[in-house]
Amino acid sequence: MSWVEDAAGSAYDLDNLPYGVFSIDDSARRVGVRIGDFVLDASAAAALGGDPGNGPDLATAWGRPTLNDFMALGHDAWQVARAWLVEVLGAEVHRDRVEPLLVPLSEVTLHQPFEVADYVDFYCCLQHATNVGRIFRPDGEALLPNWRHLPVGYHGRAGTVVVSGTDVRRPRGQRLPAGSSAQVRPSPELGPTRRLDIEAELAFVVGAPTPLGTQVPTSAFAEHVFGVTPLNDWSARDIQAWEYVPLGPFLGKSFATSISAWVTPLEALEHARVALPGQDPPPLPHLQVEEPAGFDVDFEVELNGEVVSRPPYAAMYWSPAQMLAHLTSNGASLRTGDLYASGTISGDDRDQRGSFLELSWGGRDPFGSSDRTFLEDGDTVTLRATAPGALGGRIALGDVTGTVLPSCST
């Protein structure tokens, strides 16, 4: 356990060590590592005695204003860096030199941790897909024919991925007037969304790139994925419902996607691995995985201080390794900073649904103490997530928070 004050036994002990980007007052942005309620100035620590052994130039990579340079060093460098951090934050012999480089979390400003290259959102939860299918197609099949054969996804907008704490402006777009039907030659109107929603997701951050024309097998998942972050894919359901046929989500999704200020290394989740719930029929050979391929990550969705849902990521049908393999199966390249998300996480029970669309069953059934169906201006949503750690407790993934602002009038 760590010698850092109050870190031992906490959700941010040596078995976590998430990376972020911070500044103090007007100082330059650089990489920090969270330990307890402190942030280690990683570049300054690496520069104390040179980089470990003949390893990567961590001091330089950690001195950059994003994680991208460090992530681009690749899997071997990530392992060297983590082993070194565990050593200097865990062995008392290093305390006198490293302790002055710890800054209280309350004194730093956190920034977006990496520059997003591309963003892909998947639709990988059986319970969520089934619920949505039943809401929108009550007289038809809940799942479309392709759903159990591939992880369905769409390409999102990298430029509107924002860090936790960023306010979210209620989007405007085309929507159908209340009471009208898309089946009877509709006449849409332009206005603020009436059905602003959230989606509780787990996202994966690509570090090691690939050239165009390369396919990444499921077995190479850990060679390319640097870490994870909780993600809130804000959604305007009425705009989405009108626009998404036949090409899928666009403006109803692209106005904001929130991620944590902390990226938890994939290696920190080794003790959270669990088997998938089962896939029937078996996927095609290029999508088959060795178990355990899932992760035991428990989420909380908090609305204005009240927990309204606890989605379990362990329930996910498709694994992140399968998402990555499918994403590259046509030869699409990976870039450092690529972000791909699981899609909404939902469990079997009502209080495990990861979107307000499901919690309210399409707006029919209010939920929570405020009898909410969709988000109102001024609402604050926070996603929290924890997972089993190597030291026997649970590690915390960084929170994701956003507050809804009114729509612009023009």
Side-chain angles (χ1 to χ4, degrees):
M1 292 186 291
S2 177
W3 50 259
V4 177
E5 181 182 359
D6 296 329
S10 76
Y12 290 96
D13 202 348
L14 293 177
D15 52 349
N16 194 344
L17 300 180
Y19 293 92
V21 170
F22 77 103
S23 63
I24 305 170
D25 298 327
D26 295 327
S27 66
R29 299 182 184 187
R30 66 268 197 197
V31 173
V33 175
R34 182 166 178 182
I35 178 72
D37 288 327
F38 293 88
V39 177
L40 174 69
D41 189 333
S43 179
L48 281 176
D51 291 305
N54 295 316
D57 185 358
L58 297 177
T60 298
W62 285 341
R64 304 297 190 191
T66 73
L67 284 169
N68 292 62
D69 283 11
F70 172 53
M71 296 192 300
L73 293 176
H75 182 260
D76 290 348
W78 309 337
Q79 288 191 311
V80 169
R82 184 170 178 82
W84 183 75
L85 288 167
V86 170
E87 166 68 20
V88 299
L89 292 171
E92 187 75 25
V93 67
H94 299 291
R95 182 169 187 167
D96 288 345
R97 303 178 71 205
V98 176
E99 194 166 31
L101 303 177
L102 294 174
V103 186
L105 186 62
S106 60
E107 297 180 9
V108 307
T109 299
L110 297 174
H111 306 278
Q112 185 147 319
F114 61 96
E115 183 179 350
V116 180
D118 283 307
Y119 168 50
V120 174
D121 194 30
F122 283 97
Y123 190 50
C124 290
C125 178
L126 176 62
Q127 292 88 335
H128 171 68
T130 301
N131 288 339
V132 171
R134 289 172 176 166
I135 291 170
F136 288 123
R137 296 183 298 276
D139 298 322
E141 290 291 330
L143 296 181
L144 296 177
N146 65 343
W147 198 91
R148 289 181 180 269
H149 294 276
L150 56 84
V152 175
Y154 72 92
H155 200 284
R157 188 175 181 87
T160 51
V161 176
V162 297
V163 70
S164 176
T166 304
D167 293 334
V168 174
R169 182 75 62 181
R170 181 178 295 273
R172 294 163 58 84
Q174 284 197 23
R175 65 189 188 194
L176 293 181
S180 63
S181 170
Q183 309 302 320
V184 188
R185 299 194 64 178
S187 179
E189 61 185 13
L190 179 69
T193 178
R194 299 189 186 99
R195 293 191 158 205
L196 185 58
D197 198 359
I198 62 103
E199 292 186 340
E201 308 188 22
L202 186 62
F204 301 85
V205 184
V206 172
T210 59
L212 188 65
T214 302
Q215 299 174 345
V216 177
T218 58
S219 59
F221 164 67
E223 297 293 319
H224 294 276
V225 171
F226 171 74
V228 304
T229 171
L231 179 145
N232 183 355
D233 198 29
W234 304 84
S235 302
R237 297 300 186 185
D238 43 2
I239 297 172
Q240 179 184 354
W242 172 238
E243 74 180 359
Y244 87 107
V245 179
L247 292 181
F250 188 40
L251 300 182
K253 293 280 196 173
S254 63
F255 58 96
T257 302
S258 299
I259 60 172
S260 173
W262 299 104
V263 179
T264 300
L266 190 63
E267 195 171 349
L269 293 181
E270 279 303 306
H271 283 74
R273 287 187 174 271
V274 293
L276 298 175
Q279 296 181 328
D280 182 24
L284 294 176
H286 74 291
L287 291 178
Q288 292 178 4
V289 289
E290 290 189 12
E291 297 285 13
F295 290 94
D296 177 15
V297 180
D298 289 339
F299 276 73
E300 286 185 346
V301 177
E302 186 179 275
L303 173 62
N304 300 330
E306 177 188 5
V307 176
V308 295
S309 179
R310 291 183 168 86
Y313 186 79
M316 291 304 267
Y317 187 91
W318 292 104
S319 73
Q322 291 170 315
M323 297 179 221
L324 187 66
H326 180 60
L327 190 160
T328 61
S329 62
N330 67 346
S333 59
L334 295 177
R335 293 193 290 170
T336 299
D338 278 354
L339 179 70
Y340 69 94
S342 63
T344 305
I345 306 162
S346 293
D348 294 327
D349 301 328
R350 185 188 182 192
D351 64 359
Q352 295 179 322
R353 297 171 184 171
S355 70
F356 292 178
L357 175 70
E358 296 168 88
L359 282 169
S360 70
W361 207 254
R364 184 192 68 188
D365 304 324
F367 63 88
S369 61
S370 57
D371 283 339
R372 188 72 84 246
T373 53
F374 293 97
L375 287 165
E376 298 180 2
D377 293 348
D379 283 347
T380 297
V381 176
T382 298
L383 305 184
R384 295 190 173 91
T386 64
L391 298 178
R394 295 188 74 83
I395 64 172
L397 283 62
D399 294 355
V400 179
T401 295
T403 298
V404 179
L405 299 182
S407 174
C408 293
S409 57
T410 58

